[in-house]
Amino acid sequence: MSNGQWYPPEWPGRIRALAAGELTAAEPRRAATVMLLRDDATDTGGAPAVHMLRRRTSMAFAGGAYAYPGGGVDPRDDDRLVRWAGPALETWAHRLGVGTPAEAQAIVCAAVRETYEEAGVLLAGPTPETVVTDTTGDDWEADRAALVARELSFAAFLEGRGLVLRSDLLGAWARWITPEFEPRRYDTWFFVAALPEGQRTRNASTEADRTVWITPGDAADGYDRGELLMMPPTVATLRTLRPYATAAQALEAAPDQDLTPVLAQARLDGDELVLSWPGHEEFTKHVSTAATDETPAGVRSGGEASGVASAPGAEGGTA
C-alpha cells in the first residue's frame, strides 16, 4: 500500500505474463458508480459531503477500501424503453461516448439501479418533475431484493411502479477502465448526483461494513495520510470534487468534465516494473520485478481496479 492506495500483490506477475503474451486480456464489462452528494451534512464546514462505503476487511479484493455505490450493467437495463426525464438518450449516448441510445440507457439505468440496490436511494419519481421521498417498507424492500437477485429487471421495476427515471439528476463525471492485466475488468462511468429530499441512505448490501458521509477534501486528506484505503479512481474523483461548495455546483460542472477513458499502463524499466495511470502521475508505482513470482494461475479471484466494487453496500441504519 502506498499512502492509502491498495495494490494487489499479484499485479507484477500478471503484468509480466501479459507482456510475454502468456495472458489474454479480459473484455471489460460496462459498469456505473454514483458519487452521491448532500449539502446538509453536519461537521463539514459548509462543504457538501459524499456518500462512501467501506468494503468488508474480510474480502479478498481491496478489503477495507472505500468506494462509492456501483456495479455492472445488467443486460436487461436496456430491454425496453423506460419513462425518461432529462437529456434525450441520443444526447446521453454522445456524452458517454457510446454508439447507440440503448447502450446509453443501459449505463444510466445501471447508475440509478445500483444506487437504489446498494444505498436505498432512488433517482426516479411519478412525474418528470418529482422524486419519490420514501423507499422504505416491505414492498419496496421486496422489489429491491428482486433487483439484486436479478429476478426483476430495472425497466420492469420502474414500469410496475409507474416511475419516471430522472436522468436529469445525474451528471457524468469520469470514466476509468480496469487495467488489461486484471482478471475481472470493468469499463466504468462515474456520475454525480444529489441526495433527493426526503430520502436517506441505508444498509442495502452485504459487501460493506460501514458507510460515511465525508467531504471530498477530508476523504482525500485521509488517503494522503494513509488513514483511508482507496483505489486510484476513487482518489482521483474525490480530488476533482473538492472545489465545489454545493452539490448543485458539482452537477452544473459535470458537462465540462473530461470523459476520456483512463486506462492503466505498465512497462518494464530495467529491474523495475512501472505502473501508471495517464494524467494521474500521483498513482505511478515502481515495483521490483523480483518482488513476486506469482503467475496468473496464482491470482486470487477478485474484483476490479476501477474503484467500483461488484456489489458494495452501506452500513446499518441511516446516514
Side-chain angles (χ1 to χ4, degrees):
M1 186 176 74
S2 176
N3 290 339
Q5 187 176 350
W6 184 80
Y7 286 97
E10 65 268 14
W11 274 9
R14 292 192 63 87
I15 293 168
R16 289 199 299 272
L18 184 67
E22 300 168 357
L23 178 67
T24 301
E27 187 70 21
R29 177 187 175 191
R30 286 179 172 174
T33 188
V34 176
M35 300 177 287
L36 195 61
L37 304 173
R38 75 177 191 188
D39 294 326
D40 61 345
T42 59
D43 300 325
T44 62
V50 61
H51 179 69
M52 302 190 74
L53 54 90
R54 185 179 70 180
R55 292 171 60 81
R56 293 187 181 277
T57 55
S58 59
M59 297 185 70
F61 181 82
Y66 284 79
Y68 315 111
V73 167
D74 182 337
R76 299 172 301 168
D77 282 335
D78 65 349
D79 67 355
R80 71 188 82 173
L81 288 174
V82 300
R83 294 176 65 197
W84 192 268
L89 285 170
E90 291 78 7
T91 301
W92 272 111
H94 177 74
R95 174 62 177 144
L96 299 176
V98 297
T100 67
E103 292 173 278
Q105 176 178 303
I107 295 165
V108 175
C109 278
V112 176
R113 173 179 51 75
E114 289 287 339
T115 304
Y116 178 54
E117 288 181 7
E118 299 181 358
V121 171
L122 183 59
L123 303 176
T127 72
E129 297 81 26
T130 60
V131 183
V132 295
T133 57
D134 186 3
T135 61
T136 62
D138 292 343
D139 58 334
W140 283 100
E141 180 55 27
D143 279 352
R144 193 198 66 78
L147 286 169
V148 172
R150 299 298 181 258
E151 298 168 352
L152 176 68
S153 75
F154 192 59
F157 164 75
L158 293 174
E159 183 177 284
R161 287 190 170 271
L163 296 176
V164 180
L165 187 146
R166 293 289 307 275
S167 81
D168 55 321
L169 300 181
L170 286 167
W173 196 265
R175 182 180 177 185
W176 289 65
I177 302 177
T178 308
E180 293 179 338
F181 46 82
E182 276 282 33
R184 290 171 59 189
R185 303 184 62 214
Y186 289 81
D187 183 354
T188 303
W189 282 263
F190 287 69
F191 294 84
V192 291
L195 179 69
E197 184 175 354
Q199 293 194 38
R200 306 175 75 182
T201 55
R202 61 187 178 87
N203 183 5
S205 176
T206 60
E207 293 193 5
D209 56 17
R210 71 183 298 246
T211 62
V212 295
W213 282 101
I214 186 172
T215 66
D218 286 345
D221 289 346
Y223 163 84
D224 290 335
R225 293 191 299 267
E227 297 171 356
L228 299 181
L229 186 66
M230 300 177 197
M231 289 178 282
T234 310
V235 182
T237 49
L238 284 171
R239 297 205 195 286
T240 57
L241 283 173
R242 193 167 190 161
Y244 302 101
T246 66
Q249 285 184 10
L251 283 166
E252 289 171 3
D256 297 324
Q257 302 303 308
D258 185 4
L259 293 191
T260 302
V262 179
L263 175 65
Q265 298 177 350
R267 61 182 172 86
L268 291 174
D269 185 5
D271 62 352
E272 279 191 330
L273 184 149
V274 182
L275 178 65
S276 62
W277 279 260
H280 300 272
E281 287 73 16
E282 70 167 300
F283 304 123
T284 298
K285 179 72 172 176
H286 296 260
V287 181
S288 170
T289 56
T292 178
D293 288 327
E294 290 189 40
T295 63
V299 174
R300 301 188 306 264
S301 62
E304 58 288 0
S306 67
V308 166
S310 56
E315 70 177 347
T318 57

